[in-house]
Amino acid sequence: ARGNSGIYIASGSDQSAPRGDMITLLALSTATFGTLWQSEVAQSLGGVFAAPVETREALLFGSGNKLTGFDPLTGRILWSKNLAFLPGRVWSASSGTAVSFNSTGIDALSTSNGGTLWHYPLEGFPYGPVATAAIREGKVFAPLSEREVGALDLFSGRLLWRTAPLA
């Protein structure tokens, strides 16, 4: 995105680490494997963190209930937001929208500023589904229950369709 040829690696203590430990977010050149930039992020809520996700607007990185948007070229923090939920370890992103599963449902956030765009409630997943949403052609394809899959509109969160319960 935006001309950067980098890969992003996050490393930190395990989940039993005390709050306040630091996570290192490292951007490496795909051409030379040299360091492009490095940033330190404070762990929150026991050190659970999500894989970094690069979008056109920002590099997204979540730790505990905090989501931070970095400039992928420089590592400068563009914005940071404390979320009302613990996001999953994997985000999906497309067209300025990042989608994450959590214990209350599916949340979509703006990749430009971290603002909440929509929430779709789910039941039957005490910790959120163990899945990654697939985003294609303005639709979010996701598990809606243990036996149903559906499609939501990427921009509004409106349910477009859902399968009959799968066997």
Side-chain angles (χ1 to χ4, degrees):
R2 301 188 317 176
N4 193 11
S5 279
I7 57 171
Y8 306 96
I9 299 170
S11 66
S13 302
D14 65 18
Q15 293 181 0
S16 63
R19 287 175 72 163
D21 282 2
M22 300 303 282
I23 299 169
T24 300
L25 186 57
L26 191 62
L28 302 171
S29 166
T30 55
T32 66
F33 210 60
T35 300
L36 297 170
W37 55 262
Q38 179 176 326
S39 185
E40 298 286 319
V41 179
Q43 286 187 358
S44 84
L45 298 176
V48 175
F49 56 88
V53 175
E54 186 178 11
T55 70
R56 190 170 301 189
E57 297 78 19
L59 175 72
L60 306 179
F61 180 69
S63 171
N65 69 329
K66 187 174 191 173
L67 182 65
T68 303
F70 292 87
D71 182 318
L73 295 175
T74 67
R76 181 177 65 86
I77 293 175
L78 302 173
W79 52 264
S80 186
K81 179 173 181 166
N82 287 321
L83 305 172
F85 58 88
L86 289 173
R89 290 185 175 267
V90 180
W91 289 76
S92 298
S94 180
S95 302
T97 303
V99 177
S100 177
F101 293 107
N102 59 74
S103 61
T104 66
I106 302 171
D107 281 88
L109 305 176
S110 166
T111 58
S112 296
N113 60 23
T116 300
L117 299 174
W118 52 263
H119 171 81
Y120 187 86
L122 295 177
E123 294 181 16
F125 296 107
Y127 302 104
V130 180
T132 301
I135 301 176
R136 297 286 182 276
E137 300 173 357
K139 297 175 186 72
V140 177
F141 300 94
L144 301 179
S145 74
E146 288 186 12
R147 297 179 49 212
E148 295 173 302
V149 176
L152 307 173
D153 180 81
L154 176 63
F155 305 104
S156 69
R158 183 176 57 89
L159 179 66
L160 301 173
W161 57 262
R162 74 186 314 145
T163 63
L166 305 170

